[in-house]
Amino acid sequence: MAAQTGAALLLVGLLPYNLLVPEGDIVYSQRQVWKDPNNVLTSWDPTLVNPCTWFHVTCNLTTPDLGNAGISGTLIPQLGQLKNLQYLELYANNMSGSIPTTLGNLTLLISLDLYNNHLTGVIPSSLGAVGTQRFLRLHGNKLAGGILASLGRLMKLVELELQENTLTGTVPLEVLSLVLVGDLTELNVVQNNLAGTVKSSTQRVATVIQDTLKTTL
């Protein structure tokens, strides 16, 4: 199926029904820095009175998806001003650059799916402030640095997928504790540069996936 037909809705809860003009300006600013070879965003016309009519932008609460659409470019910091954003689904594209720290301002965010792109830099510690988040999937990028203890504040997190990056250090105890005191059922950190391994005997944990123990001769 062509990328254009496979791409449905980008942002859930992005805009209130009575759209504020600044929010529409932010969305259009993001579109301006993206390359869109499949023309999935051609309806994003700033001259329209109401951007709720733009294709891939919804003013109700339905499921979003702009994955595998061939879009490339960076994520602008202004995305953090979209207070009603609940889902940001940009997986399997050609996104580059870093993850904006301002995404930590999205207090209604449920799912952040940026996996299988070309993102670099570190995982922002500010993401630990998004207490509503249930799915954080950043795997298949080129993210570096460590897994931050601040992610251990995400008590509602169900899936944390950080595999196939270049992360270093160890998995913080604060994050591991989410399988006991939070809702975390899958933690995947394989194919990074992490030291050691983790195991858990609790039956509550569905999956904790990490590379086998690394030893020094």
Side-chain angles (χ1 to χ4, degrees):
M1 181 178 293
Q4 185 170 357
T5 58
L9 302 172
L10 168 58
L11 307 174
V12 168
L14 168 61
L15 308 171
Y17 191 80
N18 296 319
L19 180 73
L20 298 177
V21 173
E23 291 180 296
D25 290 342
I26 292 171
V27 176
Y28 185 70
S29 295
Q30 177 63 87
R31 189 263 178 275
Q32 288 290 86
V33 302
W34 281 344
K35 293 182 180 179
D36 179 25
N38 296 319
N39 296 318
V40 298
L41 304 177
T42 54
S43 67
W44 291 22
D45 183 353
T47 64
L48 295 178
V49 175
N50 190 350
C52 286
T53 62
W54 295 354
F55 197 44
H56 309 303
V57 174
T58 180
C59 295
N60 54 29
L61 299 179
T62 55
T63 303
D65 191 351
L66 199 62
N68 197 25
I71 296 173
S72 63
T74 59
L75 300 174
I76 61 174
Q78 291 91 327
L79 288 177
Q81 299 175 31
L82 300 173
K83 300 299 184 180
N84 294 291
L85 184 65
Q86 292 185 341
Y87 296 81
L88 183 54
E89 306 287 342
L90 291 169
Y91 55 89
N93 281 291
N94 295 302
M95 297 295 160
S96 58
S98 60
I99 300 172
T101 60
T102 54
L103 295 188
N105 297 328
L106 301 175
T107 56
L108 299 180
L109 192 67
I110 295 173
S111 180
L112 179 59
D113 283 326
L114 302 177
Y115 60 88
N116 291 345
N117 279 288
H118 305 287
L119 297 171
T120 57
V122 300
I123 300 172
S125 61
S126 59
L127 294 182
V130 188
T132 55
Q133 196 163 189
R134 294 180 61 80
F135 304 96
L136 178 55
R137 293 179 280 227
L138 306 176
H139 54 282
N141 282 289
K142 301 176 182 178
L143 299 173
I147 300 174
L148 302 177
S150 62
L151 297 181
R153 300 199 297 265
L154 301 177
M155 302 296 293
K156 295 183 178 181
L157 197 64
V158 175
E159 292 184 17
L160 177 57
E161 298 195 31
L162 304 176
Q163 67 269 27
E164 300 175 22
N165 281 288
T166 59
L167 301 173
T168 56
T170 59
V171 181
L173 291 177
E174 292 86 348
V175 174
L176 291 175
S177 70
L178 291 177
V179 302
L180 296 174
V181 299
D183 293 334
L184 191 64
T185 58
E186 181 167 335
L187 169 61
N188 193 333
V189 293
V190 301
Q191 297 185 43
N192 280 286
N193 296 319
L194 297 169
T197 188
V198 292
K199 294 182 179 179
S200 175
S201 59
T202 176
Q203 295 182 353
R204 183 177 177 186
V205 182
T207 310
V208 177
I209 309 170
Q210 188 174 10
D211 290 314
T212 56
L213 181 64
K214 298 179 180 179
T215 59
T216 303
L217 298 178

